[in-house]
């Protein structure tokens, strides 16, 4: 009986010890990198720097913004260099997030420029679909009203320039535009090509016409 009590007490004590051990272990939340709050120092050049997880992390001004670099003090291989960011604080944040394999919170300057260019191209595509038919119609009216080859040649050059613009924008719409936008753009492109073809045909016709004799009848 005493032996049974002894083993029971021993088991209870062991269970309590295991519980206290588990309790004392850090949770997964506690295991999140806390070095992200580590203070930045300054390098000899005055750039923010620190040793983070054994890596040398530095932030420096470059290419119109701020880049970060990550290198191993014991490794002679080329360190990692980021794209430039808008401010030094953003570069610091992105450096440590990169170290912890966390998604970026900010766009780099090249990413911002690509986004701005994409938005501008989108605006151009919308403007093209809305305004280009009117431009082509105006050129067609001018061509119809032209009385000679010289006038038609001027309109022809404008039509050629406009067609190059149309081809460029239609190519962009074909990649990024909706099915409806692509359909409208192809119609506009067809109209622009037909306009230029018609102008060239009129030029050829006028050049083939015999010149009228502007001199009056000779005196008898």
């Amino acid at each position: 009986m005493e032996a049974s009590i002894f083993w029971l007490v021993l088991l209870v004590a062991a269970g309590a010890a295991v519980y206290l051990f588990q309790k004392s272990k850090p949770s997964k939340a506690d295991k999140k990198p806390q070095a992200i709050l580590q203070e930045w120092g300054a390098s000899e050049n005055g750039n923010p720097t620190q040793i983070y997880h054994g890596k040398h992390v530095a932030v420096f001004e470059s290419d119109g913004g701020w880049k970060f670099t990550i290198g191993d003090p014991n490794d002679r291989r080329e360190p990692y260099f980021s794209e430039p960011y808008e401010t030094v604080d953003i570069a610091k944040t992105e450096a440590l997030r990169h170290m912890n394999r966390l998604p970026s919170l900010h766009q780099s300057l090249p990413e911002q420029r690509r986004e701005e260019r994409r938005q501008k191209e989108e605006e151009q595509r919308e403007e093209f679909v809305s305004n280009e038919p009117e431009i082509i119609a105006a050129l067609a009216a001018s061509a119809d009203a032209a009385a000679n080859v010289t006038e038609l040649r001027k309109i022809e050059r404008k039509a050629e320039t406009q067609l190059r613009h149309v081809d460029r924008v239609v190519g962009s719409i074909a990649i990024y535009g909706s099915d409806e936008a692509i359909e409208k753009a192809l119609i506009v492109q067809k109209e622009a090509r037909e306009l230029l073809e018609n102008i060239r045909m009129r030029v050829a016709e006028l050049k083939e016409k015999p010149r009228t004799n502007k001199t009056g009848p000779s005196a008898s």
Side-chain angles (χ1 to χ4, degrees), residues 44-72:
E44 294 180 356
N45 297 326
N47 294 320
T49 184
Q50 65 169 281
I51 300 297
Y52 186 82
H53 291 338
K55 304 289 186 180
H56 180 261
V57 185
V59 173
F60 59 98
E61 197 168 5
S62 178
D63 295 342
W66 292 84
K67 292 183 177 181
F68 65 82
T69 179
I70 299 172
D72 190 332

Side-chain angles (χ1 to χ4, degrees), residues 34-42 48-52 57 92 96:
Q34 296 180 1
I36 199 167
L37 301 176
Q38 183 174 330
E39 291 293 331
W40 290 80
T49 184
Q50 65 169 281
I51 300 297
Y52 186 82
V57 185
K92 287 180 181 180
L96 300 187

